[in-house]
Coordinates of all heavy atoms in Angstrom, one line a residue:
K1 N 0.8 -1.2 0.0 CA 0.0 0.0 0.0 C 0.9 1.3 0.0 O 0.5 2.2 -0.6 CB -0.9 0.0 1.2 CG -2.3 -0.4 0.9 CD -3.2 -0.1 2.0 CE -4.6 -0.2 1.5 NZ -5.7 -0.1 2.5
Q2 N 2.0 1.2 0.7 CA 2.9 2.4 0.7 C 3.4 2.7 -0.7 O 3.5 3.8 -1.1 CB 4.0 2.1 1.7 CG 3.8 2.5 3.1 CD 5.0 2.5 3.9 OE1 6.0 1.8 3.6 NE2 5.0 3.1 5.1
L3 N 3.8 1.6 -1.4 CA 4.3 1.8 -2.8 C 3.2 2.4 -3.6 O 3.5 3.3 -4.4 CB 4.7 0.4 -3.3 CG 5.2 0.5 -4.8 CD1 6.4 1.4 -4.9 CD2 5.6 -0.9 -5.2
W4 N 2.0 2.0 -3.5 CA 0.9 2.5 -4.3 C 0.7 4.0 -4.0 O 0.6 4.8 -4.9 CB -0.4 1.8 -4.0 CG -1.5 2.2 -4.9 CD1 -1.8 1.7 -6.1 CD2 -2.5 3.2 -4.6 NE1 -2.9 2.3 -6.6 CE2 -3.3 3.3 -5.8 CE3 -2.7 4.1 -3.6 CZ2 -4.4 4.2 -5.9 CZ3 -3.8 5.0 -3.7 CH2 -4.6 5.0 -4.8
S5 N 0.9 4.4 -2.7 CA 0.7 5.8 -2.4 C 1.8 6.6 -3.0 O 1.6 7.7 -3.5 CB 0.8 6.0 -0.8 OG -0.3 5.4 -0.2
H6 N 3.0 6.1 -3.0 CA 4.2 6.9 -3.6 C 4.0 7.0 -5.1 O 4.3 8.1 -5.6 CB 5.5 6.2 -3.2 CG 5.8 6.3 -1.7 ND1 6.0 7.5 -1.1 CD2 6.0 5.3 -0.8 CE1 6.3 7.2 0.2 NE2 6.3 5.9 0.4
L7 N 3.6 5.9 -5.7 CA 3.5 6.0 -7.2 C 2.3 6.9 -7.6 O 2.4 7.6 -8.6 CB 3.2 4.5 -7.7 CG 4.4 3.6 -7.7 CD1 4.0 2.2 -8.1 CD2 5.6 4.1 -8.5
S8 N 1.3 6.9 -6.8 CA 0.2 7.8 -7.0 C 0.6 9.3 -7.0 O 0.2 10.1 -7.8 CB -1.0 7.5 -6.1 OG -1.5 6.3 -6.3
I9 N 1.4 9.6 -6.0 CA 1.9 10.9 -5.9 C 2.8 11.3 -7.1 O 2.6 12.4 -7.7 CB 2.8 11.1 -4.6 CG1 1.8 11.0 -3.4 CG2 3.5 12.4 -4.6 CD1 2.5 10.9 -2.0
L10 N 3.6 10.4 -7.5 CA 4.4 10.6 -8.7 C 3.5 10.8 -9.9 O 3.8 11.7 -10.8 CB 5.4 9.4 -9.0 CG 6.6 9.4 -8.1 CD1 7.4 8.1 -8.4 CD2 7.5 10.6 -8.4
H11 N 2.5 10.0 -10.0 CA 1.6 10.1 -11.2 C 1.0 11.5 -11.3 O 0.8 12.0 -12.4 CB 0.5 9.1 -11.0 CG -0.6 9.2 -12.0 ND1 -1.9 9.6 -11.8 CD2 -0.6 8.8 -13.4 CE1 -2.6 9.5 -12.9 NE2 -1.9 9.1 -13.8
A12 N 0.7 12.2 -10.2 CA 0.1 13.5 -10.2 C 1.1 14.6 -10.3 O 0.8 15.8 -10.4 CB -0.7 13.7 -8.9
S13 N 2.4 14.3 -10.3 CA 3.5 15.3 -10.3 C 3.4 16.1 -11.6 O 3.4 15.6 -12.7 CB 4.8 14.6 -10.2 OG 5.9 15.6 -10.4
P14 N 3.5 17.4 -11.5 CA 3.6 18.3 -12.7 C 4.9 18.3 -13.4 O 5.1 18.8 -14.4 CB 3.2 19.7 -12.2 CG 3.6 19.6 -10.7 CD 3.4 18.2 -10.3
F15 N 5.9 17.7 -12.7 CA 7.3 17.6 -13.2 C 7.6 16.5 -14.2 O 8.6 16.5 -14.8 CB 8.3 17.6 -12.1 CG 8.1 18.8 -11.1 CD1 7.5 18.6 -9.9 CD2 8.4 20.1 -11.5 CE1 7.3 19.6 -9.0 CE2 8.2 21.1 -10.6 CZ 7.7 20.9 -9.4
L16 N 6.7 15.5 -14.3 CA 6.9 14.4 -15.2 C 6.3 14.7 -16.5 O 5.2 15.3 -16.7 CB 6.2 13.2 -14.6 CG 6.8 12.6 -13.4 CD1 6.0 11.4 -12.9 CD2 8.2 12.1 -13.7
D17 N 7.0 14.3 -17.6 CA 6.5 14.4 -19.0 C 5.5 13.3 -19.2 O 5.8 12.2 -19.2 CB 7.7 14.3 -19.9 CG 7.3 14.5 -21.4 OD1 6.0 14.6 -21.7 OD2 8.1 14.4 -22.3
K18 N 4.3 13.7 -19.4 CA 3.2 12.7 -19.5 C 3.2 11.9 -20.8 O 2.4 11.1 -21.0 CB 1.8 13.4 -19.3 CG 1.7 14.3 -18.1 CD 1.7 13.5 -16.8 CE 1.2 14.4 -15.6 NZ 1.9 14.3 -14.5
K19 N 4.1 12.3 -21.7 CA 4.2 11.5 -22.9 C 5.5 10.7 -23.0 O 5.8 10.1 -24.0 CB 4.1 12.5 -24.1 CG 2.8 13.2 -24.2 CD 2.7 14.1 -25.4 CE 1.3 14.7 -25.4 NZ 1.1 15.7 -26.5
D20 N 6.2 10.7 -21.9 CA 7.5 10.0 -21.9 C 7.3 8.5 -21.5 O 6.4 8.1 -20.8 CB 8.4 10.7 -20.8 CG 9.8 10.1 -20.7 OD1 10.5 10.4 -21.7 OD2 10.1 9.4 -19.8
L21 N 8.2 7.7 -22.1 CA 8.1 6.3 -21.9 C 8.3 5.9 -20.4 O 7.6 5.0 -19.9 CB 9.2 5.6 -22.7 CG 9.1 4.1 -22.8 CD1 7.7 3.6 -23.4 CD2 10.2 3.5 -23.7
T22 N 9.1 6.7 -19.7 CA 9.3 6.5 -18.3 C 8.0 6.7 -17.5 O 7.6 5.9 -16.6 CB 10.4 7.4 -17.7 OG1 11.6 7.2 -18.4 CG2 10.6 7.2 -16.2
F23 N 7.2 7.7 -17.9 CA 5.9 7.9 -17.3 C 5.0 6.7 -17.6 O 4.2 6.3 -16.7 CB 5.3 9.2 -17.8 CG 4.0 9.6 -17.2 CD1 3.9 10.0 -15.8 CD2 2.8 9.6 -17.9 CE1 2.7 10.3 -15.2 CE2 1.6 9.9 -17.3 CZ 1.6 10.3 -16.0
S24 N 5.0 6.2 -18.8 CA 4.2 5.0 -19.1 C 4.5 3.8 -18.3 O 3.7 3.0 -17.9 CB 4.2 4.7 -20.6 OG 5.4 3.9 -20.9
K25 N 5.8 3.7 -17.9 CA 6.2 2.6 -17.0 C 5.7 2.8 -15.6 O 5.2 1.8 -15.0 CB 7.7 2.4 -17.0 CG 8.3 2.0 -18.4 CD 9.8 1.9 -18.4 CE 10.2 1.4 -19.8 NZ 11.6 1.3 -19.9
L26 N 5.6 4.0 -15.2 CA 5.0 4.3 -13.9 C 3.5 4.0 -13.9 O 3.0 3.4 -13.0 CB 5.2 5.8 -13.5 CG 4.4 6.4 -12.4 CD1 4.9 5.7 -11.1 CD2 4.6 7.9 -12.3
L27 N 2.9 4.4 -15.0 CA 1.4 4.1 -15.1 C 1.2 2.6 -15.1 O 0.2 2.1 -14.6 CB 0.9 4.7 -16.4 CG 0.8 6.2 -16.4 CD1 0.3 6.7 -17.8 CD2 -0.1 6.8 -15.3
T28 N 2.1 1.9 -15.8 CA 1.9 0.4 -15.9 C 2.1 -0.2 -14.5 O 1.3 -1.1 -14.1 CB 3.0 -0.2 -16.8 OG1 2.8 0.3 -18.1 CG2 3.0 -1.7 -16.9
M29 N 3.0 0.3 -13.7 CA 3.2 -0.2 -12.3 C 2.0 0.0 -11.5 O 1.5 -0.8 -10.7 CB 4.4 0.4 -11.7 CG 5.7 -0.2 -12.2 SD 7.2 0.3 -11.2 CE 7.4 1.9 -11.9
L30 N 1.4 1.3 -11.7 CA 0.2 1.6 -10.9 C -1.0 0.7 -11.4 O -1.7 0.3 -10.5 CB -0.2 3.1 -11.2 CG 0.5 4.1 -10.3 CD1 0.2 5.5 -10.8 CD2 0.0 4.0 -8.9
A31 N -1.1 0.5 -12.7 CA -2.1 -0.4 -13.2 C -2.0 -1.8 -12.6 O -3.0 -2.4 -12.2 CB -2.0 -0.5 -14.7
Q32 N -0.7 -2.3 -12.5 CA -0.6 -3.7 -12.0 C -0.9 -3.7 -10.5 O -1.5 -4.7 -10.0 CB 0.9 -4.1 -12.2 CG 1.2 -4.4 -13.6 CD 2.7 -4.6 -13.8 OE1 3.6 -4.2 -13.0 NE2 3.1 -5.2 -15.0
L33 N -0.6 -2.7 -9.8 CA -0.9 -2.6 -8.3 C -2.4 -2.5 -8.2 O -3.0 -3.2 -7.3 CB -0.3 -1.4 -7.7 CG 1.2 -1.5 -7.4 CD1 1.8 -0.2 -6.9 CD2 1.5 -2.6 -6.3
N34 N -3.1 -1.8 -9.0 CA -4.6 -1.8 -8.9 C -5.2 -3.1 -9.3 O -6.2 -3.5 -8.7 CB -5.1 -0.7 -9.9 CG -5.1 0.7 -9.3 OD1 -5.8 1.0 -8.4 ND2 -4.2 1.5 -9.7
N35 N -4.6 -3.8 -10.2 CA -5.0 -5.2 -10.5 C -4.9 -6.1 -9.3 O -5.8 -6.8 -8.9 CB -4.2 -5.7 -11.7 CG -4.6 -7.2 -12.0 OD1 -5.8 -7.5 -12.1 ND2 -3.7 -8.0 -12.3
Y36 N -3.7 -6.0 -8.6 CA -3.5 -6.9 -7.4 C -4.5 -6.5 -6.3 O -4.9 -7.3 -5.5 CB -2.1 -6.7 -6.9 CG -1.1 -7.3 -7.9 CD1 0.1 -6.6 -8.2 CD2 -1.3 -8.4 -8.7 CE1 1.1 -7.1 -9.1 CE2 -0.4 -8.9 -9.6 CZ 0.8 -8.2 -9.8 OH 1.7 -8.7 -10.7
M37 N -4.9 -5.2 -6.3 CA -5.8 -4.7 -5.2 C -7.2 -4.9 -5.6 O -8.2 -4.6 -4.9 CB -5.5 -3.3 -4.9 CG -4.2 -3.1 -4.2 SD -3.5 -1.4 -3.9 CE -4.9 -0.4 -3.8
G38 N -7.5 -5.5 -6.8 CA -8.9 -5.8 -7.2 C -9.6 -4.6 -7.8 O -10.8 -4.7 -7.9
D39 N -8.9 -3.6 -8.2 CA -9.6 -2.4 -8.8 C -9.4 -2.4 -10.3 O -8.5 -1.7 -10.9 CB -9.1 -1.1 -8.2 CG -9.9 0.1 -8.5 OD1 -10.7 0.0 -9.5 OD2 -9.7 1.1 -7.9
A40 N -10.2 -3.2 -11.0 CA -10.1 -3.3 -12.5 C -10.4 -2.0 -13.2 O -9.8 -1.7 -14.3 CB -10.9 -4.4 -13.0
K41 N -11.3 -1.2 -12.6 CA -11.6 0.0 -13.3 C -10.5 1.0 -13.3 O -10.2 1.6 -14.4 CB -12.8 0.7 -12.6 CG -13.3 2.0 -13.2 CD -14.6 2.5 -12.6 CE -15.0 3.8 -13.3 NZ -16.2 4.3 -12.7
A42 N -9.8 1.2 -12.2 CA -8.6 2.0 -12.2 C -7.5 1.4 -13.1 O -6.8 2.2 -13.7 CB -8.1 2.1 -10.7
Q43 N -7.3 0.1 -13.1 CA -6.4 -0.5 -13.9 C -6.6 -0.2 -15.4 O -5.7 0.2 -16.1 CB -6.4 -2.1 -13.7 CG -5.4 -2.8 -14.6 CD -5.7 -4.3 -14.6 OE1 -6.7 -4.8 -14.2 NE2 -4.7 -5.0 -15.1
K44 N -7.9 -0.3 -15.8 CA -8.3 0.0 -17.2 C -8.0 1.4 -17.5 O -7.4 1.7 -18.6 CB -9.7 -0.3 -17.4 CG -10.3 0.0 -18.8 CD -11.7 -0.4 -18.8 CE -12.6 0.5 -19.5 NZ -12.5 1.9 -19.6
L45 N -8.3 2.3 -16.7 CA -8.1 3.8 -17.0 C -6.6 4.1 -17.1 O -6.2 4.9 -18.0 CB -8.7 4.6 -15.8 CG -10.2 4.6 -15.8 CD1 -10.7 5.4 -14.5 CD2 -10.8 5.2 -17.1
L46 N -5.8 3.4 -16.3 CA -4.3 3.7 -16.4 C -3.8 3.1 -17.7 O -3.0 3.7 -18.3 CB -3.6 3.1 -15.1 CG -3.9 3.9 -13.9 CD1 -3.5 3.1 -12.6 CD2 -3.1 5.2 -13.9
I47 N -4.2 1.9 -18.0 CA -3.7 1.2 -19.2 C -4.1 2.0 -20.4 O -3.3 2.1 -21.4 CB -4.2 -0.2 -19.3 CG1 -3.5 -1.1 -18.1 CG2 -3.8 -0.9 -20.6 CD1 -4.1 -2.5 -18.0
E48 N -5.3 2.6 -20.4 CA -5.7 3.4 -21.5 C -4.8 4.7 -21.7 O -4.7 5.2 -22.8 CB -7.2 3.8 -21.3 CG -8.1 2.7 -21.6 CD -9.5 3.0 -21.2 OE1 -9.8 4.0 -20.5 OE2 -10.4 2.2 -21.7
Q49 N -4.1 5.1 -20.6 CA -3.2 6.2 -20.7 C -1.8 5.7 -21.3 O -1.1 6.4 -21.9 CB -3.0 6.9 -19.4 CG -4.2 7.6 -18.9 CD -3.9 8.2 -17.5 OE1 -3.0 8.9 -17.3 NE2 -4.8 7.8 -16.5
V50 N -1.5 4.5 -20.9 CA -0.2 3.9 -21.3 C -0.2 3.6 -22.8 O 0.8 3.9 -23.5 CB 0.0 2.6 -20.6 CG1 1.2 1.8 -21.1 CG2 0.2 2.8 -19.1
L51 N -1.3 3.1 -23.3 CA -1.3 2.6 -24.7 C -0.8 3.7 -25.8 O 0.1 3.4 -26.6 CB -2.6 2.1 -25.1 CG -2.7 1.2 -26.3 CD1 -1.8 0.0 -26.3 CD2 -4.2 0.7 -26.4
P52 N -1.3 4.9 -25.8 CA -0.9 5.8 -26.8 C 0.6 6.3 -26.6 O 1.3 6.5 -27.6 CB -1.8 7.0 -26.6 CG -2.5 6.9 -25.4 CD -2.4 5.4 -25.0
I53 N 1.1 6.3 -25.4 CA 2.5 6.6 -25.1 C 3.4 5.5 -25.8 O 4.3 5.8 -26.5 CB 2.8 6.7 -23.7 CG1 2.0 7.9 -23.0 CG2 4.3 7.0 -23.4 CD1 2.0 7.9 -21.5
Q54 N 3.0 4.3 -25.5 CA 3.8 3.1 -26.0 C 3.7 3.1 -27.6 O 4.7 2.9 -28.2 CB 3.3 1.8 -25.4 CG 3.7 1.6 -24.0 CD 3.3 0.3 -23.5 OE1 2.4 -0.4 -24.0 NE2 3.9 -0.1 -22.4
E55 N 2.5 3.3 -28.1 CA 2.4 3.3 -29.5 C 3.2 4.4 -30.2 O 3.8 4.2 -31.3 CB 0.9 3.4 -30.0 CG 0.1 2.1 -29.6 CD -1.4 2.3 -29.9 OE1 -1.9 3.4 -29.8 OE2 -2.0 1.2 -30.2
G56 N 3.3 5.5 -29.6 CA 4.0 6.6 -30.1 C 5.5 6.3 -30.1 O 6.3 6.8 -30.9
H57 N 6.0 5.6 -29.0 CA 7.4 5.3 -28.8 C 7.8 4.1 -29.6 O 8.8 4.1 -30.3 CB 7.7 5.1 -27.4 CG 9.1 4.8 -27.1 ND1 10.1 5.8 -27.1 CD2 9.8 3.7 -26.9 CE1 11.3 5.3 -26.8 NE2 11.1 4.0 -26.7
Y58 N 7.1 3.0 -29.5 CA 7.5 1.7 -30.1 C 6.9 1.5 -31.5 O 7.4 0.7 -32.3 CB 7.0 0.6 -29.2 CG 7.7 0.5 -27.9 CD1 6.9 0.5 -26.7 CD2 9.0 0.3 -27.7 CE1 7.5 0.4 -25.5 CE2 9.6 0.2 -26.5 CZ 8.9 0.3 -25.4 OH 9.4 0.1 -24.1
G59 N 5.7 2.1 -31.8 CA 4.9 1.6 -32.9 C 3.9 0.6 -32.5 O 4.0 0.0 -31.5
S60 N 2.8 0.5 -33.3 CA 1.7 -0.3 -32.9 C 1.9 -1.8 -33.0 O 1.2 -2.6 -32.4 CB 0.4 0.0 -33.7 OG 0.7 -0.2 -35.0
D61 N 3.0 -2.2 -33.6 CA 3.2 -3.7 -33.8 C 4.3 -4.2 -32.9 O 4.8 -5.3 -33.1 CB 3.6 -4.0 -35.3 CG 4.8 -3.3 -35.8 OD1 5.3 -2.3 -35.1 OD2 5.3 -3.6 -36.8
H62 N 4.7 -3.5 -31.9 CA 5.7 -3.9 -30.9 C 5.2 -4.8 -29.9 O 4.0 -4.7 -29.5 CB 6.3 -2.7 -30.3 CG 7.6 -2.9 -29.5 ND1 7.6 -3.3 -28.2 CD2 8.9 -2.8 -29.9 CE1 8.8 -3.4 -27.8 NE2 9.7 -3.2 -28.8
W63 N 6.0 -5.8 -29.4 CA 5.5 -6.7 -28.4 C 5.1 -6.1 -27.1 O 4.2 -6.6 -26.5 CB 6.6 -7.8 -28.1 CG 7.8 -7.3 -27.4 CD1 9.0 -6.8 -28.0 CD2 8.0 -7.2 -26.0 NE1 9.8 -6.4 -27.0 CE2 9.2 -6.6 -25.8 CE3 7.2 -7.5 -24.9 CZ2 9.7 -6.4 -24.5 CZ3 7.7 -7.2 -23.6 CH2 8.9 -6.7 -23.4
Q64 N 5.7 -5.0 -26.7 CA 5.3 -4.3 -25.5 C 3.9 -3.7 -25.6 O 3.1 -3.8 -24.7 CB 6.3 -3.2 -25.2 CG 6.1 -2.6 -23.8 CD 6.5 -3.6 -22.7 OE1 7.5 -4.2 -22.7 NE2 5.6 -3.6 -21.7
V65 N 3.6 -3.2 -26.8 CA 2.2 -2.7 -27.0 C 1.2 -3.9 -27.0 O 0.1 -3.8 -26.4 CB 2.1 -2.0 -28.4 CG1 0.7 -1.6 -28.7 CG2 3.0 -0.7 -28.3
A66 N 1.6 -5.0 -27.5 CA 0.8 -6.2 -27.5 C 0.5 -6.6 -26.1 O -0.7 -7.0 -25.7 CB 1.4 -7.4 -28.3
M67 N 1.5 -6.6 -25.2 CA 1.3 -7.0 -23.8 C 0.4 -6.0 -23.1 O -0.5 -6.4 -22.3 CB 2.7 -7.0 -23.1 CG 3.6 -8.2 -23.5 SD 2.8 -9.8 -23.2 CE 2.7 -9.8 -21.4
T68 N 0.5 -4.8 -23.4 CA -0.4 -3.7 -22.9 C -1.8 -4.0 -23.3 O -2.8 -3.9 -22.5 CB 0.1 -2.3 -23.2 OG1 1.4 -2.2 -22.7 CG2 -0.8 -1.3 -22.7
L69 N -2.0 -4.4 -24.6 CA -3.4 -4.7 -25.1 C -4.0 -5.9 -24.4 O -5.1 -6.0 -24.1 CB -3.3 -4.9 -26.6 CG -3.2 -3.6 -27.4 CD1 -2.8 -4.0 -28.9 CD2 -4.4 -2.7 -27.3
V70 N -3.1 -6.9 -24.1 CA -3.6 -8.1 -23.3 C -4.0 -7.6 -21.9 O -5.1 -8.1 -21.5 CB -2.5 -9.1 -23.3 CG1 -2.8 -10.2 -22.2 CG2 -2.2 -9.8 -24.6
N71 N -3.2 -6.8 -21.3 CA -3.6 -6.3 -20.0 C -4.9 -5.5 -20.0 O -5.8 -5.6 -19.1 CB -2.5 -5.5 -19.4 CG -1.3 -6.3 -19.0 OD1 -1.4 -7.5 -18.7 ND2 -0.1 -5.7 -19.0
L72 N -5.1 -4.7 -21.0 CA -6.3 -4.0 -21.2 C -7.5 -4.9 -21.4 O -8.6 -4.7 -20.8 CB -6.2 -3.0 -22.4 CG -7.4 -2.1 -22.6 CD1 -7.7 -1.3 -21.4 CD2 -7.1 -1.2 -23.9
A73 N -7.3 -5.9 -22.2 CA -8.4 -6.9 -22.4 C -8.7 -7.6 -21.1 O -9.9 -7.9 -20.9 CB -8.0 -7.9 -23.5
N74 N -7.7 -8.0 -20.4 CA -8.0 -8.6 -19.1 C -8.8 -7.7 -18.1 O -9.7 -8.2 -17.4 CB -6.7 -9.1 -18.4 CG -6.0 -10.2 -19.1 OD1 -6.7 -11.0 -19.7 ND2 -4.7 -10.4 -19.0
A75 N -8.4 -6.4 -18.1 CA -9.2 -5.5 -17.3 C -10.6 -5.4 -17.7 O -11.5 -5.4 -16.9 CB -8.5 -4.1 -17.3
H76 N -10.8 -5.3 -19.1 CA -12.2 -5.3 -19.6 C -13.0 -6.6 -19.1 O -14.1 -6.6 -18.7 CB -12.2 -5.2 -21.1 CG -12.1 -3.8 -21.6 ND1 -13.2 -3.0 -21.6 CD2 -11.1 -3.1 -22.1 CE1 -12.8 -1.8 -22.1 NE2 -11.5 -1.9 -22.4
G77 N -12.3 -7.8 -19.2 CA -12.8 -9.0 -18.7 C -13.2 -9.0 -17.3 O -14.3 -9.5 -16.9
D78 N -12.3 -8.4 -16.4 CA -12.6 -8.3 -15.0 C -13.8 -7.5 -14.7 O -14.5 -7.6 -13.7 CB -11.3 -7.8 -14.3 CG -10.2 -8.8 -14.3 OD1 -10.4 -10.0 -14.5 OD2 -9.1 -8.4 -14.0
L79 N -14.0 -6.5 -15.6 CA -15.2 -5.6 -15.4 C -16.4 -6.2 -16.0 O -17.5 -5.5 -16.0 CB -14.9 -4.2 -16.1 CG -13.8 -3.4 -15.4 CD1 -13.4 -2.2 -16.3 CD2 -14.3 -2.9 -14.0
G80 N -16.3 -7.3 -16.7 CA -17.5 -7.9 -17.3 C -17.8 -7.4 -18.7 O -18.9 -7.6 -19.2
D81 N -16.8 -6.7 -19.3 CA -17.0 -6.1 -20.6 C -16.7 -7.0 -21.8 O -16.8 -6.6 -22.9 CB -16.1 -4.8 -20.7 CG -16.5 -3.7 -19.8 OD1 -17.7 -3.7 -19.3 OD2 -15.7 -2.9 -19.5
A82 N -16.2 -8.2 -21.4 CA -15.7 -9.1 -22.5 C -16.8 -9.7 -23.3 O -17.9 -9.8 -22.9 CB -14.8 -10.2 -21.9

């Protein structure tokens, strides 16, 4: 829970470039923590922020983007959207 609190504070920081790959990694960690805590809605919202950053950096056919899409699909499934 402490890690989640620290990452959430970083997420809100005005000093981070919200389009930077490092920021997307922070969002991914937050999404994973939300998944472990059973909050699929928060996980989905975070992954939806990660996806365009990764696509802009890697391109849409990169394996990292594919893994993010799988995580997004799982979040949708956990929400009953599948």
